[in-house]
């Protein structure tokens, strides 16, 4: 039997978390004043259906002590509900029974009939937001004035999809994700009951991956407990649940903090070679950067991604990084996390983020030139992530651009860093092509820039990309200009330094 079924709470005191909901419901049951309809909303796997079942057991328990809300768990009614065979307690999956016909046949018809075995007829409608509009309309009158023996409980993960007319006829309770302490305590208790010893860092990984859902955490733990070993270490657990090495996260961020892209990219290569889930690695980088930034702002938040000691270690690595640059790091990691996946180069978004983060400032470390296999990806980016120049951008450019006038090459060079900074805020991939670019000549209002790779020139000169670049440069210079990329390699010191550092040849 699955853990989450085997250890499903059978009394209110066994329910972990949701203290605000338990206090209100228990108070009603102790006073004998339960509502006729409830709406339970919140994330999946946090106890909504469990609470609904406990209410059904409590209302129908024949041996419940006076003034108590706890069901006895041993009477015929409690046993039948626990085993899922109580005829008067009906659980309806609204996701697969959305029609008004089903509501009429299985709910409205049953409402008119007295319960067969229990005191109350209880309807637990799971994923209630999936019901059709007609089905909700059919329930309205019954929810407003139900028979005394009928109780409705609607559980949903998307409250906004339930009509206000339905919600207003029910008592609504909001459920929340479980805290780290509550989840760890619950998981440890299950391990002890199963006679297994699981290391804390493994349980922390299980809790982190569950995203605050106790049911998801118990499902993951169930997979681990099926290992033959009585003591489950991190080394054993990785065969079932791939884990991110926080030491690699630290090394990666050290490269960012010290503006050493080689360190970060080498760490990234180790992550790839080790078979670590890259999405999970990126998520940990985001979690750490967010945690450190919030800590500096005084908004300390709990996280299952690391222990307090590990957090202090990360904070030490980033202590010399300013708040502004830390924010830029977080934004770069966010762009990498949401970038389109590429089958051949899944690490490319993080490599671009590394170039961006380590290339800012007075001392720019030459970024790693992408391999020739990146050509197809850059062409894909052109089609899928090209940013069109919006009306607001055009209006802004017109407001800041003066009359067409001759521009000197020195003017362009002196404002090149400002132009690149504005570009990073507007586009995810173009900044890579422009990192190694340099202005070489000005002919009237036409600016020629040199790029070291042919596919960079194609990217810069392509349609909407070129219009965006020309618009941004016009804003910076205060005069309408155009940009054209020229592919040249000779005499480019930056390219030569990259080739010297990393080996290889420049491919046309």
């Amino acid at each position: 039997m699955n853990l989450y079924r085997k250890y499903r709470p059978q009394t209110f005191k066994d329910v972990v978390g949701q203290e605000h909901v338990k206090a209100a419901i228990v108070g009603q049951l102790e006073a004998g004043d339960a509502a006729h309809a409830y709406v339970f909303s919140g994330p999946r796997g946090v106890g909504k259906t469990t609470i609904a079942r406990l209410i059904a057991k409590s209302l129908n328990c024949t041996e419940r002590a006076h003034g108590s809300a706890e069901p006895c768990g041993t009477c015929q009614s409690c046993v039948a509900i626990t085993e899922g065979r109580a005829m008067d307690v009906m659980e309806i999956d609204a996701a697969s029974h959305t029609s008004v016909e089903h509501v009429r046949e299985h709910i409205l018809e049953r409402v008119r009939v007295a319960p067969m075995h229990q005191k109350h007829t209880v309807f637990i409608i799971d994923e209630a937001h999936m019901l059709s509009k007609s089905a909700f309309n059919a329930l309205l009158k019954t929810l407003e004035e139900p028979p005394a023996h009928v109780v409705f409980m609607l559980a949903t993960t998307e409250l906004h999809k339930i009509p206000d007319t339905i919600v207003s006829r029910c008592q609504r309770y909001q459920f929340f994700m479980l805290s780290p302490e509550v989840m760890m305590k619950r998981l440890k208790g299950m391990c002890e009951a199963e006679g297994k010893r699981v290391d804390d860092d493994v349980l922390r990984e299980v809790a982190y991956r569950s995203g605050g859902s106790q049911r998801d955490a118990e499902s993951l733990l169930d997979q681990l407990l099926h290992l033959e070993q009585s003591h489950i270490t991190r080394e054993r657990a990785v065969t079932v649940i791939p884990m991110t090495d926080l030491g690699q996260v630290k090394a990666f961020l050290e490269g960012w903090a010290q503006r050493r892209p080689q360190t970060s990219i080498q760490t990234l290569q180790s992550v790839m070679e080790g078979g670590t889930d890259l999405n999970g690695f990126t998520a940990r980088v985001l979690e750490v950067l967010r945690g450190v930034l919030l800590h500096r702002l005084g908004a300390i938040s709990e996280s299952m991604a690391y222990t307090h000691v590990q957090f202090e270690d990360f904070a030490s690595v980033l202590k010399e990084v300013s708040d502004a640059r830390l924010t830029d790091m977080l934004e770069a990691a966010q762009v990498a996390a949401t970038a389109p996946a590429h089958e051949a180069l899944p690490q490319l978004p993080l490599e671009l983020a590394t170039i961006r983060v380590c290339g800012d400032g007075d001392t720019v470390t030459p970024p790693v030139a992408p391999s020739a296999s990146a050509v197809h990806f850059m062409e894909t980016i052109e089609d899928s992530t090209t940013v069109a120049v919006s009306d607001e951008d055009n209006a802004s450019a017109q407001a800041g651009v003066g009359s067409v006038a001759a521009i000197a090459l020195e003017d362009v060079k002196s404002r090149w860093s400002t132009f690149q900074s504005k570009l990073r805020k507007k586009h995810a991939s173009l900044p890579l092509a422009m990192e190694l670019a340099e202005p070489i000549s000005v002919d009237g209002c036409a600016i020629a820039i040199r790029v070291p790779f042919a596919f960079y020139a194609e990217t810069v000169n392509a349609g909407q990309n070129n219009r965006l670049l020309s618009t941004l440069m016009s804003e910076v210079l205060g005069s309408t200009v155009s940009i054209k990329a020229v592919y040249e390699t000779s005499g480019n010191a930056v390219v030569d330094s990259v080739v010297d550092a990393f080996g290889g040849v420049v491919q046309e």
Side-chain angles (χ1 to χ4, degrees), residues 12 15-28 38-43 46-48 51 55 171-179 182:
F12 286 102
V15 177
V16 295
Q18 317 305 340
E19 299 300 329
H20 62 295
V21 177
K22 289 194 296 182
I25 297 296
V26 168
Q28 290 181 2
Y38 297 91
V39 170
F40 298 146
S41 60
V46 294
K48 300 186 295 296
I51 291 288
I55 294 174
Q171 286 193 9
R172 182 175 74 85
Y173 292 93
Q174 178 67 39
F175 287 62
F176 300 101
M177 292 186 296
L178 299 180
S179 68
V182 167

Side-chain angles (χ1 to χ4, degrees), residues 229-462:
Q229 292 77 15
S230 59
H231 179 200
I232 300 174
T233 62
R234 181 184 182 89
E235 290 71 24
R236 298 287 187 182
V238 294
T239 62
V240 177
I241 305 175
M243 298 187 189
T244 299
D245 185 350
L246 293 181
Q248 290 180 319
V249 174
K250 178 184 175 183
F252 183 81
L253 290 177
E254 280 180 339
W256 278 20
Q258 299 170 13
R259 298 187 187 276
R260 292 166 53 196
Q262 296 92 338
T263 299
S264 296
I265 291 179
Q266 287 171 0
T267 301
L268 197 55
Q269 291 172 345
S270 298
V271 170
M272 295 292 295
E273 292 169 358
T276 302
D277 175 28
L278 199 57
N279 290 332
F281 180 82
T282 307
R284 289 304 178 92
V285 171
L286 274 170
E287 184 83 17
V288 170
L289 292 172
R290 173 181 174 272
V292 172
L293 184 59
L294 290 179
H295 181 77
R296 291 186 182 182
L297 298 175
I300 304 175
S301 61
E302 297 174 309
S303 173
M304 294 305 303
Y306 39 70
T307 64
H308 178 72
V309 173
Q310 289 169 333
F311 174 79
E312 292 297 332
D313 204 15
F314 287 126
S316 176
V317 168
L318 298 167
K319 66 180 180 180
E320 300 298 330
V321 178
S322 66
D323 290 352
R325 185 161 180 259
L326 187 59
T327 302
D328 288 341
M329 287 175 148
L330 186 58
E331 290 178 348
Q334 175 66 16
V335 170
T338 57
H342 190 267
E343 193 172 317
L345 295 168
Q347 75 275 25
L348 185 58
L350 274 179
E351 290 175 342
L352 297 182
T354 298
I355 292 171
R356 170 185 171 183
V357 168
C358 297
D360 290 338
D362 296 330
T363 303
V364 179
T365 304
V368 176
S371 64
S373 58
V375 176
H376 177 67
F377 177 76
M378 294 298 292
E379 292 172 348
T380 303
I381 287 292
E382 162 64 19
D383 295 331
S384 60
T385 63
T386 296
V387 174
V389 181
S390 64
D391 292 338
E392 289 80 5
D393 290 333
N394 283 330
S396 175
Q398 292 298 328
V401 176
S403 59
V404 177
I407 301 297
L409 179 60
E410 291 305 317
D411 292 335
V412 178
K413 289 183 176 181
S414 66
R415 302 183 188 180
W416 189 249
S417 60
T418 302
F419 164 70
Q420 289 181 314
S421 178
K422 291 176 71 68
L423 178 60
R424 293 188 191 102
K425 298 176 182 179
K426 289 288 185 180
H427 203 283
S429 61
L430 273 178
L432 173 63
M434 302 303 290
E435 285 288 348
L436 300 179
E438 60 176 325
I440 56 174
S441 67
V442 175
D443 183 8
C445 61
I447 300 173
I449 62 173
R450 176 168 53 208
V451 293
F453 303 106
F455 66 90
Y456 277 9
E458 294 174 3
T459 300
V460 170
N461 293 332

Side-chain angles (χ1 to χ4, degrees), residues 60 76-91 110 116-118 122:
N60 288 307
Q76 185 178 1
S77 177
C78 286
V79 172
I81 295 173
T82 300
E83 296 177 353
R85 55 181 176 82
M87 300 295 292
D88 298 313
V89 177
M90 286 159 283
E91 293 192 30
R110 288 293 304 273
M116 291 181 284
H117 304 290
Q118 273 80 28
V122 179

Side-chain angles (χ1 to χ4, degrees), residues 397 400-402 419 469-482:
V401 176
F419 164 70
L469 295 170
S470 298
T471 298
L472 293 179
M473 180 57 78
S474 297
E475 292 181 19
V476 171
L477 296 175
S479 182
T480 303
V481 296
S482 62

